[in-house]
Amino acid sequence: MTAVPAAIEASEPGFSAAACAHCGAPVAPGAGRFCCAGCEGAHALISGLGLEAFYRRREAASGELRPTDAPPAIRFATHVRPERGGEQHSLDLMVSGLTCGACVWLVEQALAAEPDVLRARAGLSTRRLSITWRGPAERAEDLAALVARLGFHVVPWSPACLRAAEDAEGQALLRALGIAGFGAMNVMLLSVAVWVGTDMGEGTRSLLHWLAALIGLPVVLVAGMPFYRSAWAAIRAGRVNMDFAVSLGVLATAAMSLSETLRNGPYTWFDGATALLALLLAGRVLDRGARRRVRQVCAELLALQTGEVALLGPDGKPRTVPVESIRPGDRLLVAAGERLRLDGVLESGEALLDTSASTGESLPRRFAAGAPLPAGAVNMGSAFVQRVTAAAKDGSLAAMARLLEQAEQARGRYVSIADRAARLYVPVVHTVAAATFLGWWLGVGLPWQEALVPAVAALIITCPCALAIAVPAVQVVAVGALFRRGVLVTSPTALERLAACDHAVLDKTGTLTMGRPELLPDPTRPAEALAAAAALAANSRHPLARALVRACPSPAAQGVEEIPGQGLRHGDARLGSAAFCGVEAPEESLTLWFRAGPGQAPIAFRFADRLRPDAAEAVAALHRLGLSTELLSGDGAPAVAEAAQATGIESWQARATPEDKAARIRALRAEGRRPLMLGDGINDAAALSLAHVSASPAGATDLAQSAADLVLQAEGLSALPAAVAMARRAQRAARQNIGFSLAYNVVAVPAAMLGLATPLIAALVMASSSLMVILNALRVGREAHA
Amino acid sequence: MTALTVLVPLALVFGLTALFCFVWALRSGQYEDLEGAASRILFDDLPRKDSRQ
């Protein structure tokens, strides 16, 4: 996980540079060493274990290591595996927030300090923590809570994490690379002897050729499997791809070399075939490595959002069960602050829900008994009972996911530049090779075995190598550079599509804005009123109350009573709506009133969903890159117009439903535009998947993130224009690389056709062209640093 | 050319040994957490219960 640059957080207005001693988040001046009670507890825990060295050893303190005040309701004990007949248990957890070796060390040491823990091992790149302990399964709760108290977020290791991490295909590639590397080096050892040993006797040469065949043939057959499989799949689907050209080249070369060995010809080409495989496999392993890191982080983000629900049994007692097991008609207990996982209706009473993820509205809405509750909304009031109307696989979220899948398939038909090059390259090269063979065999009258040599030489010298790594090399460098800047590229063709986009459609709530209300400063307000109000507000989950606490962190006052939908009461002090505080004022949406006592003057706290600090700058940067911009929001017109004006966005549309957003994207595509969609909500997911390329900002909903090609992980939007610029540079480099490898062929192919090419020349051409392409690709990353 | 009868098999034995070691390392999961292994080596000052299992 890339750490959020400290400069961004420190530059947020209203904060001093003082940092929390545990998590490193900014702390208001005079508020002590810690940003919250959780961090203070974590620090005490670490000191108590004698592990303070962690604070000196870690690489960055980015404010992410903050224990949450309400850990998710997960029963870890249900995920425990018994070992040795129930005497021992083990548990696998996905730990988010492991950013450096010191974090791994801290987690392992803290767990090892527990007397019954036998083994605790965390993987930094897999984020997987395996714990084994002696004793009952219920200890899982304590151990997971211990890690959570340190500030890491833990969820049970799920099948989704497993798929991203275990990656059997990657292992197979790595093994193939090892075998090809071994073969290439040893065959080269023998080949060089033949090339330089001009005075070598025929018997010795034949021996060396037989040895080369002995090593080369099995290596070609085993290490080439990834290519043969992919080529075979492509042929069965009626297409030719680059892997087909590679497979044919390698197999033909091996066969021709075997025939030359049998005939005791002057040269064999086993070195070329094995070196080609080794180079291509190296490129593929690197490409996979870059993508694996991205998939890992995405799986981690999604795993953190999946959860379990509290099912109310016939006896009225809640039980924690996985979402998948819920059927329509079941009754669920939705705790305060919990996200609704399923569609349903409110059974009784009243509920206050934050529906911003599903509709884009920035303020919570009140629902009456019997009202349908949308999945994805967050409970902002007190706990309530929900009767489920649709199981997870039939609900609105699943319907949205299916829509996304369809769009994904449509996008899968996008033909990348590498495939376009392969479609041109493959028939041309194979025609050339066939013509060479026929020319030497029928035209000149050579025996067919001898005529085969220049033909196959033409096949292997046309540099399928440089062409096959021309685009992947650039991708590896660009995806890696973006990963370091906190941009996750989730689709292999995303960069190409991003480079081509010409219009940006942005969502407002949560994308252009922070997605949460912030307290507006008011110089006339007495400071002690803010502190007193914040102490009351710390007891509530209402977004305005949370904003108040964020503006003035303070411990929660004891004995505060919350009247849902109205406000908070603590003795005579009241915090809430105007009517609740007895103020003669019109009800304004983003205002809280506070009255310390019956005789005291009421004080208003006004809030606004502030723009991200770099929103205007990011929009300006997009304009500079030649993209036109447009704001599309589900929020009301005044707020949308204001945001558009503040950021300099040309056109805007308010009260857009998810269907409106999708229709707008479709209309843009029908006009021939290539829109980039940036959105964070469930209501944006359809538009995201329809757009030419899509991105979602940090903190977006899981649906939006899985629909997006790019996930901006770092806070802020400035990474987006940077990503567009990077994608364009990468695209330019990919074109140059394809140009390079074709230019090589202009010289190499005629030489091969005339029978002038020797294996030495082929090796030189192959190595130098591949090197050229790789060096050019590296330039993409270098320019990004400048 | 009698040197070849010794040197070539020797080179092959070395190569095959390296290949065998690589495949063994791959199978035993040593390539799974490269980043973690790189930083873990710096933090071994306290006795740990885990690593030898």
Side-chain angles (χ1 to χ4, degrees), chain A residues 57 101-102 104-105 108-109 112 114 117-125 171 174-175 178 182 211 215 292, chain B residues 1 4 8 11-12 15-16 19 22 26 31-36 39-40 43 45-46 48-51 53:
Chain A
R57 287 170 166 181
V104 171
W105 176 81
E108 288 182 352
Q109 294 298 338
E114 294 285 313
V117 171
L118 299 170
R119 181 174 179 275
R121 193 167 175 96
L124 182 55
S125 45
Q171 292 263 308
L174 209 53
R175 192 177 318 121
F182 157 79
L211 275 172
I215 304 167
R292 172 179 157 153
Chain B
M1 284 298 143
L4 280 184
V8 169
L12 281 179
L16 280 173
L19 183 63
F22 170 73
L26 191 66
Y31 281 80
E32 266 162 31
D33 187 23
L34 295 176
E35 290 169 58
S39 45
R40 197 180 287 276
F43 300 128
D45 48 354
L46 284 179
R48 271 217 305 263
K49 303 176 185 177
D50 59 3
S51 46
Q53 280 199 22

Side-chain angles (χ1 to χ4, degrees), chain A residues 69-95:
Chain A
D69 33 345
I74 299 174
R75 286 255 311 145
F76 289 98
T78 53
H79 298 271
V80 166
R81 286 187 315 272
E83 280 176 9
R84 302 211 178 154
E87 196 182 305
Q88 291 179 11
H89 289 90
S90 66
L91 173 67
D92 280 358
L93 295 172
M94 209 260 328
V95 185

Side-chain angles (χ1 to χ4, degrees), chain A residues 298-299 301-302 305 397 400-402 404-405 407-408 411 490-491 679-681 685 688-689 694-696 700-711:
Chain A
C298 288
L301 291 172
L302 295 183
Q305 297 196 9
L397 291 184
M400 188 62 87
R402 274 195 295 279
L404 295 184
E405 258 166 49
E408 200 70 31
R411 200 182 276 166
T490 59
S491 148
D680 73 312
L688 283 170
S689 58
S694 53
S696 68
T701 51
D702 47 0
L703 257 176
Q705 274 180 1
S706 58
D709 295 310
L710 300 133
V711 179

Side-chain angles (χ1 to χ4, degrees), chain A residues 177-515:
Chain A
L177 172 63
I179 294 170
F182 157 79
M185 281 186 278
N186 283 283
V187 172
M188 194 58 84
L189 194 78
L190 302 164
S191 299
V192 171
V194 175
W195 297 343
V196 297
T198 42
D199 55 346
M200 189 182 280
E202 276 211 9
T204 313
R205 195 181 66 193
S206 173
L207 171 74
L208 291 181
H209 281 169
W210 274 108
L211 275 172
L214 192 72
I215 304 167
L217 278 179
V219 165
V220 162
L221 290 180
V222 175
M225 278 319 280
F227 298 100
Y228 309 150
R229 258 194 224 113
S230 154
W232 181 239
I235 291 172
R236 281 210 309 207
R239 291 177 291 118
V240 287
N241 58 4
M242 207 62 213
D243 285 342
F244 174 73
V246 170
S247 305
L248 194 71
V250 168
L251 289 175
T253 310
M256 178 265 272
S257 302
L258 188 63
S259 126
E260 285 298 286
T261 308
L262 288 168
R263 288 179 56 241
N264 197 11
Y267 295 113
T268 57
W269 299 63
F270 288 113
D271 58 295
T274 47
L276 181 70
L277 281 180
L279 271 172
L280 288 179
L281 284 167
R284 214 157 277 203
V285 165
L286 287 177
D287 190 34
R288 233 190 141 71
R291 267 183 223 303
R292 172 179 157 153
R293 276 192 306 180
V294 168
R295 276 204 318 276
Q296 194 88 55
V297 177
C298 288
E300 182 183 327
L301 291 172
L302 295 183
L304 283 179
Q305 297 196 9
T306 57
E308 293 165 324
V309 291
L311 174 67
L312 284 176
D315 55 350
K317 287 213 180 96
R319 244 175 344 117
T320 312
V321 295
V323 173
E324 292 77 30
S325 66
I326 299 293
R327 292 199 177 72
D330 284 350
R331 294 163 70 236
L332 304 181
L333 182 68
V334 182
E338 195 178 326
R339 188 181 284 275
L340 298 188
R341 305 265 155 212
L342 297 156
D343 297 312
V345 295
L346 183 61
E347 197 163 80
S348 61
E350 206 181 42
L352 188 67
L353 294 181
D354 173 10
T355 58
S356 61
S358 40
T359 61
E361 286 168 273
S362 47
L363 266 195
R365 198 142 54 96
R366 210 158 289 154
F367 289 79
L373 308 176
V378 178
N379 181 11
M380 285 295 168
S382 46
F384 61 83
V385 176
Q386 177 199 21
R387 205 173 56 247
V388 175
T389 50
K393 62 181 196 318
D394 309 314
S396 58
L397 291 184
M400 188 62 87
R402 274 195 295 279
L403 203 70
L404 295 184
E405 258 166 49
Q406 285 166 15
E408 200 70 31
Q409 281 165 9
R411 200 182 276 166
R413 286 197 283 274
Y414 180 85
V415 185
S416 68
I417 184 167
D419 286 342
R420 282 202 299 274
R423 277 183 196 180
L424 277 177
Y425 166 90
V426 172
V428 169
V429 164
H430 293 168
T431 315
V432 165
T436 311
F437 174 65
L438 292 175
W440 284 104
W441 183 37
L442 302 176
V444 185
L446 247 56
W448 68 270
Q449 292 101 325
E450 271 178 51
L452 208 55
V453 175
V456 175
L459 261 191
I460 196 156
I461 218 167
T462 43
C463 316
C465 189
L467 201 55
I469 62 175
V471 179
V474 173
Q475 290 262 343
V476 170
V477 174
V479 168
L482 285 175
F483 185 84
R484 281 191 294 279
R485 298 194 58 158
V487 181
L488 308 180
V489 183
T490 59
S491 148
T493 57
L495 282 182
E496 268 186 75
R497 286 182 278 123
L498 186 62
C501 67
D502 55 5
H503 183 75
V505 180
L506 297 104
D507 170 52
K508 185 183 80 74
T509 316
T511 303
L512 221 46
T513 67
M514 307 288 280

